Amino acid sequence: MTHPTADAGFGVYLHWPFCASKCPYCDFNSHVRHAQVDEPRFIAAFEREIAHNAALTGPREVTSIFFGGGTPSLMRPATVGAILDAVAKHWSVAPGAEISLEANPTSVEAERFRGYRDAGVNRVSLGVQALNDRDLRRLGRMHTAAEALAAVRIAADTFERYSYDLIYARPHQTPAEWAAELEEAIGYAVEHLSLYQLTIEPGTWFERLFTAGKLTVPDSETGRALYDVTQEVCARRGLPAYEISNHARPGAECRHNLVYWRYGEYAGIGPGAHGRLVTDKGRVATATIRGPEEWLSAVERDGHGVESRETLSEEAQGDEFLLMGLRLVEGIDPARFAALAGRPLDAGRLDALIADGLITRDAAGRLRVSEAGFPVLDALVADLAA
Ligand SMILES: C[S@@+](CC[C@H](N)C(=O)[O-])C[C@H]1O[C@@H](n2cnc3c(N)ncnc32)[C@H](O)[C@@H]1O
Ligand code: SF4
């Protein structure tokens, strides 16, 4: 029997590719533009690409919408409203659909929160990153801790739901310092936290510093201790992990991100967005042009900015399903893997991982990565997918 979560919903991801400045650790598709962004032109292009995707999927009920970036909180609320109207015009939006927007916690942006709410946004995800000014400076952020906390308070007063991101395993960070910061973070009555371990991404300024020996990050033993502290503090304070980097009070999980991890269907709109659409040809992976101006010109010329569109093989679908699903604490249904991949999981490999205590199997046959398995998740997925 297929697990009920197999029907993971239909999400719409909208990428806003601009930021006020580029953070030294970040390799997201984000660009700094000194000239004013022509928002009406982007609205028209978003609408055309939404229409293009809707023609591919046919009628669908949208269960979640997510404005990600870049920095969507640089958009005017009217722009967010116009794009939401376009989504509702081309698909139907489920009553109570989760509509999230990523926001940077500066005072300028917090002033727009009410406008976003009036436009239909019901959840914000704030990029707080750290709760002390020394680390915020080191991370190249434009806000102070006090400013971020003021934005969190405004978010709490404005939206039904909010979350914020913190980055840990920062240069010189100790597990004791991190535990105290996390306790403070949870104290701000948050229902959801995304806690990312700092990674040195290729092509970033941090990579250059790191390679030149000018940036020291915690070694793997300290990294592991920081991860363990994260799990312990969050679980004790009622925000257990539901995904490797995401913690929530039960019921407050981000429904949009669950669409990805449960390998549901989603449209990716805007520069550098990825989608997975279930069409009459099968599951199709789409990716759009990353450069904002290049994407805009392509949409104006062709009606979409899609630069690659690939119908996924059974094998590729099985791999993606494992890669996404095993990140979730709820784990995966092996029957769904078999249905997607056209073959069952390799029983010998699975038994070995279970014997090593890295994966557990419950009475219904559901597979979950164990506490010991999460820190080595990538290797584990590669082993099982091989
Ligand atoms: C696309 S960013 C968008 C949020 C928003 N622009 C901001 O920075 O506040 C999403 C999150 O990814 C995380 N992130 C980005 N680069 C990272 C890295 N190299 N290591 C760990 N986390 C990272 C940050 O926590 C960030 O808030
Ligand atoms: S972390 Fe956020 S604000 Fe910084 S460059 Fe990346 S997307 Fe932009």
Side-chain angles (χ1 to χ4, degrees):
M1 193 195 80
T2 310
H3 189 267
T5 58
D7 181 16
F10 180 82
V12 177
Y13 176 78
L14 303 145
H15 191 80
W16 189 254
F18 302 111
C19 289
S21 68
K22 183 81 188 176
C23 303
Y25 52 84
C26 176
D27 76 338
F28 282 83
N29 186 32
S30 61
H31 307 261
V32 178
R33 293 286 178 268
H34 295 295
Q36 207 181 349
V37 172
D38 186 347
E39 295 194 30
R41 206 173 149 200
F42 271 91
I43 294 172
F46 271 92
E47 171 150 19
R48 286 192 71 183
E49 199 164 67
I50 288 164
H52 174 80
N53 276 266
L56 285 172
T57 62
R60 286 281 192 285
E61 183 169 72
V62 175
T63 52
S64 63
I65 301 175
F66 195 100
F67 287 92
T71 307
S73 53
L74 294 176
M75 297 162 96
R76 289 198 277 269
T79 301
V80 171
I83 295 173
L84 288 175
D85 287 347
V87 171
K89 185 169 140 198
H90 294 279
W91 288 296
S92 72
V93 178
E98 177 188 271
I99 304 180
S100 304
L101 180 134
E102 277 180 347
N104 282 23
T106 70
S107 52
V108 178
E109 289 162 296
E111 280 172 16
R112 296 192 199 106
F113 286 180
R114 188 179 286 270
Y116 296 138
R117 185 196 60 196
D118 295 345
V121 171
N122 52 29
R123 180 178 182 277
V124 281
S125 171
L126 295 160
V128 172
Q129 319 308 0
L131 290 177
N132 70 76
D133 290 344
R134 182 200 63 190
D135 286 356
L136 285 169
R137 262 194 311 276
R138 279 191 186 142
L139 290 170
R141 300 294 292 185
M142 294 179 76
H143 58 265
T144 60
E147 205 176 355
L149 292 177
V152 167
R153 270 191 298 276
I154 297 173
D157 289 343
T158 311
F159 296 99
E160 289 161 46
R161 303 175 58 199
Y162 69 98
S163 169
Y164 59 90
D165 298 354
L166 295 172
I167 293 179
Y168 70 99
R170 302 171 206 144
H172 313 294
Q173 193 178 35
T174 66
E177 275 172 2
W178 173 230
E181 192 173 331
L182 203 45
E183 296 270 7
E184 183 189 346
I186 296 170
Y188 298 119
V190 72
E191 61 163 26
H192 185 287
L193 281 175
S194 300
L195 304 170
Y196 299 111
Q197 194 152 359
L198 178 67
T199 46
I200 304 297
E201 301 290 354
T204 59
W205 185 244
F206 266 17
E207 187 204 31
R208 279 200 242 169
L209 290 177
F210 183 74
T211 318
K214 291 183 180 152
L215 179 76
T216 318
V217 290
D219 60 20
S220 60
E221 204 180 310
T222 314
R224 179 62 204 268
L226 289 161
Y227 173 82
D228 290 345
V229 158
T230 309
Q231 307 313 309
E232 189 275 315
V233 173
C234 288
R236 179 164 46 73
R237 298 288 303 271
L239 271 89
Y242 68 99
E243 189 264 352
I244 187 159
S245 305
N246 283 277
H247 299 253
R249 300 202 188 282
E253 297 84 2
C254 173
R255 297 201 284 270
H256 183 80
N257 285 340
L258 283 174
V259 173
Y260 305 146
W261 298 320
R262 288 176 176 165
Y263 207 42
E265 186 179 12
Y266 54 96
I269 319 275
H274 292 257
R276 292 289 180 279
L277 300 176
V278 182
T279 71
D280 48 11
K281 292 195 191 70
R283 189 177 294 257
V284 176
T286 63
T288 53
I289 297 167
R290 285 171 66 88
E293 292 75 19
E294 292 76 8
W295 173 83
L296 206 47
S297 307
V299 178
E300 288 171 350
R301 191 182 59 237
D302 305 326
H304 65 85
V306 176
E307 71 175 357
S308 84
R309 177 174 290 136
E310 184 197 350
T311 304
L312 295 172
S313 65
E314 289 186 324
E315 193 181 332
Q317 290 185 62
D319 287 354
E320 287 194 338
F321 172 70
L322 287 182
L323 195 68
M324 301 310 268
L326 288 175
R327 298 165 62 128
L328 285 171
V329 169
E330 70 181 23
I332 58 158
D333 177 0
R336 185 148 176 244
F337 172 86
L340 288 164
R343 65 167 175 96
L345 284 165
D346 184 302
R349 284 174 190 275
L350 185 57
D351 288 344
L353 291 167
I354 293 173
D356 287 344
L358 298 172
I359 286 192
T360 63
R361 178 163 41 204
D362 71 11
R366 210 169 165 79
L367 303 174
R368 292 186 179 83
V369 174
S370 68
E371 256 176 57
F374 269 115
V376 292
L377 182 64
D378 292 346
L380 199 154
V381 170
D383 186 20
L384 206 53

